[in-house]
Amino acid sequence: MKILIVGSGGREHALAWKVAQNSRVTDVYLAPGNGGTQTEKKLTNVLLDPLDFEDLATFAEKNKIAFTLIGPEAPLVNGIVDFFQSRNLPCFGPSKEASQLEGSKAFSKDFLKRHKIPSAEYEVFTDSAKAKAFVTQAGTPIVIKADGLAAGKGVVVAQTEQEANSAIDDMLTAEKYGQAGRRVVIETFLEGEEASFIAMVDGKNILPMATSQDHKTRDAGDKGPNTGGMGAYSPAPVLDEETYSRVMREVIIPTVEGMALDGIPYTGFLYAGLMISSNGSINVIEFNCRFGDPEAQPVMLRLQSDFVEHCMEALAGRLDQQTAKWDPRPAVGVVMAAKGYPAAYSTGEKITGLNEISNPDVKIFHAGTKTVEEDQPKTITNGGRVLCSAALGANIAEAQKNAYAAIEKIAWDGAFYRDDIAYRAIARENRTETE
Ligand code: AMP
Ligand code: GLY
């Protein structure tokens, strides 16, 4: 069996690595993949653009691809699933219309409100004077969001009115976010701890993935600018048993039912970014229409059941008959990034130490890397987020220790990483142990 995975990040490496473990799978193609997927058994990179649907569909037809998995949001929001379906090619992901849950914050906020799913109060604006008047009236802190896709950079948590106004100017007047910022959502600031809840959905049935939490900001202590994600761990201790059931009941089930009721059944990975406050309230911060990156890396490391079977059954609408099995050990993934990220970064730096990692509980997933053949193959940096060291451990502290021990062996000029990934979960673990 042959499988195609669209994308080039750490998430796609993790999905491909897991898919390849099925003995019936002979080949996993990545379009376009990265330096890690290029060198791994059963995996092959194909130089295809994730947004060139015609080329991708032709490749899938010619190579008799059993099904295609889509990693990033851009092809989904642009309708790759609809395109593949029109050619009778199985492709797991939401339709263009359903992907609006991520593609338009105004769409998702209206959806949440209509179906009474808890989320911050909000208003949508296209006029900057009206937006600013709303900020004056509502007060700070307040959150300003570009409506469309902005690669994780379209959200400003403004502490002062001045910050809020300059975000409004950037989006609506200077069009710094292009089309994505022509409409803004302004919403109430929510306090609490964030968690990622990702599920496979077949239009009707839900197969939840293990819970996870990521660190979105660049610097230790959750400070500095927002990034695509600097590290993640699974499970998310904040989602204890009771909170987990409430998330299913108050968020995930009503979302899947609401989409079906609205005539836009949702198929694919559904990612709810949640804020869990200390007073027990649960709110949706955002939806993504895909697996999280870097959440996929620790989550895939823990998956013990057959991911290929889950995907095929999801495509057949039979997820109600599937159960996912997870390694009871937690996993931590730490991202190594290139100097300058999330702003402009350098590329082409030689990475050393990749072959020195022998701990079987560690997997280095590649993201922005490229393998070049000279006298010997060498791996160089080719993106902002470069690698993710993902590790299992008897507890979160040990998983973290294993991930960092591997990172210490890897180097390139300008590499950096956060040294505190999973600190909240470890603090919780320590509290529980001393209780
Ligand atoms: P989003 O792209 O919507 O997930 O937003 C990016 C990040 O901004 C989130 O992960 C949160 O850390 C933060 N954020 C977004 N909306 C809110 C909110 N209403 N209250 C507090 N923080 C928020
Ligand atoms: N890690 C956050 C995301 O995938 O959007």
Side-chain angles (χ1 to χ4, degrees):
M1 185 185 347
K2 296 175 180 177
I3 291 161
L4 173 63
I5 297 183
V6 174
S8 62
R11 165 185 50 212
E12 289 76 18
H13 189 181
L15 297 174
W17 170 80
K18 183 43 74 183
V19 157
Q21 288 172 10
N22 179 306
S23 59
R24 287 163 61 215
V25 171
T26 52
D27 295 278
V28 184
Y29 297 100
L30 286 111
N34 57 43
T37 57
Q38 191 177 334
T39 48
E40 199 149 313
K41 228 175 94 197
K42 290 196 194 178
L43 274 46
T44 307
N45 287 354
V46 284
L47 246 187
L48 295 172
D49 177 352
L51 291 173
D52 191 337
F53 301 165
E54 178 67 46
D55 272 7
L56 290 165
T58 303
F59 179 87
E61 263 159 16
K62 277 200 180 137
N63 291 281
K64 304 204 164 40
I65 296 294
F67 65 86
T68 300
L69 283 182
I70 313 298
E73 62 278 12
L76 293 165
V77 170
N78 283 291
I80 191 166
V81 172
D82 313 62
F83 191 89
F84 269 55
Q85 274 171 357
S86 73
R87 303 263 288 253
N88 266 329
L89 295 163
C91 183
F92 185 61
S95 66
K96 181 173 181 170
E97 218 185 341
S99 303
Q100 289 301 298
L101 272 190
E102 174 168 1
S104 164
K105 295 208 189 275
F107 174 96
S108 73
K109 293 297 291 188
D110 291 347
F111 170 85
L112 287 161
K113 193 172 184 179
R114 190 163 59 247
H115 293 283
K116 302 194 171 54
I117 300 165
S119 180
E121 294 294 323
Y122 74 104
E123 297 270 350
V124 183
F125 297 93
T126 49
D127 179 281
S128 72
K130 285 188 184 146
K132 288 178 187 172
F134 178 78
V135 169
T136 307
Q137 180 207 333
T140 54
I142 197 158
V143 185
I144 319 289
K145 301 185 173 187
D147 176 49
L149 291 184
K153 291 172 195 151
V155 174
V156 176
V157 178
Q159 299 300 337
T160 64
E161 194 169 330
Q162 197 186 359
E163 262 181 83
N165 287 345
S166 81
I168 291 168
D169 284 335
D170 283 349
M171 291 177 197
L172 290 176
T173 315
E175 297 188 3
K176 223 169 133 183
Y177 298 83
Q179 187 70 32
R182 295 233 172 107
R183 240 182 351 167
V184 298
V185 169
I186 303 190
E187 66 176 40
T188 322
F189 176 77
L190 297 167
E191 231 145 344
E193 191 170 339
E194 286 181 54
S196 307
F197 198 109
I198 300 163
M200 291 177 81
V201 180
D202 66 7
K204 191 168 147 217
N205 305 297
I206 300 162
L207 180 66
M209 300 284 98
T211 60
S212 55
Q213 246 168 308
D214 82 340
H215 292 271
K216 289 215 169 77
T217 58
R218 186 192 58 193
D219 305 330
D222 293 323
K223 304 245 160 49
N226 259 329
T227 70
M230 292 299 292
Y233 49 99
S234 171
V238 65
L239 293 174
D240 56 29
E241 220 170 295
E242 191 206 326
T243 315
Y244 183 98
S245 323
R246 280 186 52 211
V247 170
M248 282 301 285
R249 208 166 57 235
E250 294 173 24
V251 175
I252 306 295
I253 295 170
T255 299
V256 173
E257 286 179 355
M259 290 296 279
L261 265 173
D262 290 351
I264 322 170
Y266 192 97
T267 303
F269 296 106
L270 174 67
Y271 170 144
L274 305 168
M275 188 70 90
I276 317 291
S277 79
S278 50
N279 69 16
S281 68
I282 296 170
N283 278 286
V284 174
I285 301 177
E286 61 160 349
F287 283 121
N288 292 316
C289 59
R290 49 169 177 80
F291 221 114
D293 187 342
E295 288 93 329
Q297 292 86 316
V299 170
M300 285 293 122
L301 204 59
R302 293 187 59 218
L303 182 61
Q304 292 178 325
S305 45
D306 185 350
F307 187 46
V308 171
E309 185 185 317
H310 297 330
C311 293
M312 307 235 333
E313 292 301 289
L315 283 161
R318 288 192 298 254
L319 273 183
D320 53 329
Q321 288 160 44
Q322 293 287 295
T323 17
K325 186 162 180 283
W326 304 99
D327 194 318
R329 293 173 299 167
V332 171
V334 180
V335 168
M336 291 181 84
K339 188 177 172 183
Y341 178 77
Y345 50 79
S346 59
T347 58
E349 302 292 347
K350 181 170 183 240
I351 305 172
T352 58
L354 286 168
N355 295 328
E356 283 166 41
I357 289 133
S358 51
N359 184 345
D361 289 335
V362 174
K363 173 72 189 169
I364 305 294
F365 292 113
H366 289 228
T369 69
K370 190 156 91 172
T371 299
V372 287
E373 301 285 338
E374 285 178 355
D375 303 339
Q376 284 182 351
K378 69 169 186 181
T379 305
I380 59 173
T381 66
N382 191 39
R385 289 192 291 174
V386 176
L387 300 168
C388 176
S389 169
L392 292 159
N395 53 27
I396 300 190
E398 194 188 297
Q400 185 203 50
K401 197 167 122 233
N402 289 341
Y404 282 114
I407 277 194
E408 268 157 33
K409 298 189 174 145
I410 302 174
W412 70 85
D413 210 11
F416 80 94
Y417 55 87
R418 272 180 62 161
D419 62 7
D420 67 342
I421 298 302
Y423 72 90
R424 273 200 201 88
I426 291 171
R428 236 175 241 271
E429 207 164 67
N430 291 340
R431 277 204 300 275
T432 317
E433 271 163 22
T434 53
E435 264 163 19

